[in-house]
Amino acid sequence: MAEILVLYYSQSGSVAQLANHLARGVDSVAGMSARVRTVPKVSTVIEATAPEIPAAGPPYVEAADLVECAGLALGSPTRFGNMAAPIKYWLDGLGGEWLRGTLTDKPASVFTASSSQHGGNEATLLSMMVPLLHHGMVIVGVPYSKVPVLSTTQGGGTPYGASHVSGGGDKSGGKGGMISEDERTIAFAHGKRLAEMAKALQVGGVL
């Protein structure tokens, strides 16, 4: 069973919801499964304040996860058109993996969430692709030809990656707004396509 690493940071819960639906898409492909991981918060005073094991949710990512994965789905909330600091901090620490080519030729996808329709989610997705390209990864998007709901969704969802738009801030007491049916459909399709691509690359097949 080959595994896709679904790695994300989520503050209000929206990105975590997207991650779960991407993981379901991965699991729907025979011979593939999702390994869900997260990253700790970054302290504003640059101190290690998070526990080594999170109190709830998936475990923190480790170096072995990158070595063992057949592909990577990377998720972050939008921060002014860019990824959140915890994801950037994690990426900045991958110099050794870059030297060793740990992620080279593995497929990768990106996903995000923003509070407004024009909150920079597409810019965030593009910014997240750049370091993955430096690692030699193969970017897997969401094609209109395979995911028709991209043409009709009134919420998130782009050809660059799955996304969520809350439409005016968090109204759920700090636990993140529920993603829409279209957003769930796109996230599932994105995870499925990433797994299919990883499987095809592993066996030298063609999609």
Side-chain angles (χ1 to χ4, degrees), residues 18-114:
L18 285 174
N20 289 335
H21 287 287
L22 263 93
R24 287 180 53 245
V26 170
D27 290 339
S28 73
V29 177
M32 307 297 293
S33 67
R35 180 186 298 193
V36 182
R37 296 290 186 268
T38 189
V39 297
K41 289 184 176 181
V42 176
S43 169
T44 56
V45 292
I46 320 301
E47 292 179 349
T49 58
E52 292 187 7
I53 300 175
Y60 293 137
V61 65
E62 298 179 352
D65 295 318
L66 299 179
V67 175
E68 295 166 2
C69 74
L72 168 67
L74 185 64
S76 170
T78 292
R79 294 290 183 267
F80 306 108
N82 212 321
M83 70 190 87
I87 289 292
K88 181 63 164 61
Y89 183 81
W90 174 77
L91 286 167
D92 286 348
L94 298 183
E97 285 72 18
W98 175 76
L99 285 171
R100 289 186 288 273
T102 301
L103 296 172
T104 300
D105 293 336
K106 294 182 180 182
S109 292
V110 291
F111 58 102
T112 191
S114 63

Side-chain angles (χ1 to χ4, degrees), residues 76-167:
S76 170
T78 292
R79 294 290 183 267
F80 306 108
N82 212 321
M83 70 190 87
I87 289 292
K88 181 63 164 61
Y89 183 81
W90 174 77
L91 286 167
D92 286 348
L94 298 183
E97 285 72 18
W98 175 76
L99 285 171
R100 289 186 288 273
T102 301
L103 296 172
T104 300
D105 293 336
K106 294 182 180 182
S109 292
V110 291
F111 58 102
T112 191
S114 63
S115 62
S116 62
Q117 187 65 258
H118 304 289
N121 48 8
E122 291 189 349
T124 298
L125 294 172
L126 292 170
S127 75
M128 292 171 69
M129 292 179 188
V130 174
L132 302 183
L133 288 167
H134 274 267
H135 281 273
M137 302 198 80
V138 181
I139 303 299
V140 177
V142 186
Y144 284 95
S145 59
K146 292 190 174 184
V147 191
V149 72
L150 276 175
S151 298
T152 59
T153 179
Q154 297 297 303
T158 79
Y160 312 124
S163 63
H164 164 70
V165 177
S166 67

